[in-house]
Amino acid sequence: MGYAQLVIGPAGSGKSTYCSCLYEHCVTSRRRIDIVNLDPAAEKFDYPVAMDIRELISLDDAMEELNLGPNGGLVYCMEHLEDNLDDWLEEELQHYLDNDYLVFDCPGQIELFTHIPFLKNFVAHLQRRNFTVCAVYLLDSQFVTDVTKYISGCMACLSAMVQLELPHVNILSKMDLVPNKKEVEEYLNPEARVLVSELNRNMAPKFAKLNKALAEVIEEYSMVNFIPLDLRKESSIQYVLSTIDSCIQYGEDADVKVRDFDPEDEE
């Protein structure tokens, strides 16, 4: 059985930085992980790339040959990868054994993980290869500065959760850049009545019922929760990693190793 993180989130949310810091943390901890680049528009990396979609197709090539824009070109690249799951990806995965741990650094085009089925099909292929997969959704903590942005971020997370149907860990990234952390911490475990009150102050009265319904979905079902991540702190990185490991049961199926020995013959 292999293990995998699918790192998703809007553009600029810190996915590649998260992958880089996670890799450095694991190196320090003498733990092996391999980072896979699934972004055909990526140009440079701060971590060793174990697999790279650009070996199959790059965004520049797709845009030039098919006369596509950046968004259309990226969707085409993902569809091309999907068409080659049984060839290119299968060949790459043959280099990995049971208990290997892969982290997939995904592009930030939001429709790829909210309604286009590519990632869902990609995950299904990994699962057929006996990989246990966890989705890691990153949201910029500086984006969560008021209630309307918080609700928007929650709905995007929820859309990805429903689409992918995976164990899901939502992370507030870039906490080290937030000047007033109390403003963000208020939204880690919000109360519905507080959300409704703030939403009603910021929106027209005709949205009152909608505001109440959205707030109740967030509170009553506890479907969307965030873990703050401060990359300056090793303890914060370790807490996030431990949470993800628990979701995919990493290491729980390891065999107990008992040293065999033969008792010495009695004279």
Side-chain angles (χ1 to χ4, degrees):
M1 176 184 292
Y3 303 91
Q5 292 185 29
L6 196 68
V7 183
I8 59 178
S13 58
K15 297 183 295 297
S16 294
T17 302
Y18 163 80
C19 291
S20 175
C21 292
L22 182 65
Y23 179 82
E24 292 177 2
H25 174 80
C26 289
V27 168
T28 303
S29 305
R30 297 183 179 181
R31 171 176 168 179
R32 177 180 172 179
I33 64 170
D34 293 290
I35 313 292
V36 180
N37 172 49
L38 289 185
D39 187 354
E43 296 180 352
K44 61 179 181 179
F45 306 94
D46 294 327
Y47 53 79
V49 180
M51 286 188 276
D52 192 346
I53 188 179
R54 297 176 305 170
E55 297 176 357
L56 176 67
I57 188 171
S58 70
L59 179 61
D60 290 340
D61 291 342
M63 291 172 60
E64 181 179 351
E65 294 180 13
L66 300 172
N67 195 27
L68 296 171
N71 289 338
L74 187 55
V75 172
Y76 176 83
C77 290
M78 295 297 101
E79 291 175 344
H80 184 70
L81 173 58
E82 184 177 359
D83 291 338
N84 287 272
L85 292 178
D86 292 328
D87 298 320
W88 180 79
L89 184 62
E90 192 67 24
E91 181 179 349
E92 293 291 331
L93 290 177
Q94 288 178 359
H95 302 296
Y96 297 93
L97 306 174
D98 289 347
N99 296 321
D100 280 342
Y101 200 113
L102 302 180
V103 178
F104 293 90
D105 188 1
C106 299
Q109 194 169 4
I110 195 167
E111 55 262 42
L112 294 177
F113 43 84
T114 56
H115 61 274
I116 293 178
F118 158 70
L119 277 181
K120 186 173 183 178
N121 296 334
F122 181 83
V123 167
H125 185 88
L126 292 177
Q127 291 173 333
R128 287 194 296 270
R129 285 295 308 268
N130 210 23
F131 274 85
T132 303
V133 187
C134 176
V136 181
Y137 190 103
L138 270 69
L139 185 68
D140 190 340
S141 57
Q142 298 179 86
F143 182 83
V144 187
T145 55
D146 60 57
V147 66
T148 53
K149 292 181 179 179
Y150 171 76
I151 293 293
S152 175
C154 285
M155 293 301 103
C157 289
L158 183 58
S159 179
M161 293 169 69
V162 172
Q163 168 77 358
L164 296 176
E165 298 179 334
L166 287 174
H168 214 91
V169 175
N170 298 312
I171 296 173
L172 282 181
S173 62
K174 303 183 182 180
M175 284 294 292
D176 51 308
L177 302 179
V178 176
N180 187 358
K181 291 183 172 54
K182 288 186 177 180
E183 292 182 356
V184 175
E185 291 173 353
E186 291 176 356
Y187 295 108
L188 296 180
N189 295 291
E191 296 182 7
R193 59 180 181 81
V194 176
L195 293 177
V196 171
S197 176
E198 293 187 21
L199 283 170
N200 289 340
R201 285 200 302 268
N202 287 278
M203 301 177 70
K206 65 180 180 180
F207 295 111
K209 290 184 178 179
L210 175 63
N211 294 339
K212 184 175 183 293
L214 290 174
E216 288 176 350
V217 166
I218 293 172
E219 183 186 61
E220 293 182 8
Y221 294 93
S222 298
M223 295 183 72
V224 180
N225 295 297
F226 292 97
I227 299 174
L229 174 61
D230 188 338
L231 293 176
R232 298 173 303 177
K233 301 178 180 179
E234 289 293 322
S235 59
S236 181
I237 301 173
Q238 181 57 47
Y239 179 78
V240 168
L241 181 59
S242 297
T243 302
I244 297 168
D245 288 346
S246 177
C247 286
I248 58 178
Q249 298 180 320
Y250 173 73
E252 292 186 10
D253 61 343
D255 294 331
V256 177
K257 297 180 180 179
V258 180
R259 182 172 60 90
D260 293 329
F261 66 94
D262 295 324
E264 295 181 0
D265 295 332
E266 296 182 1
E267 295 182 356

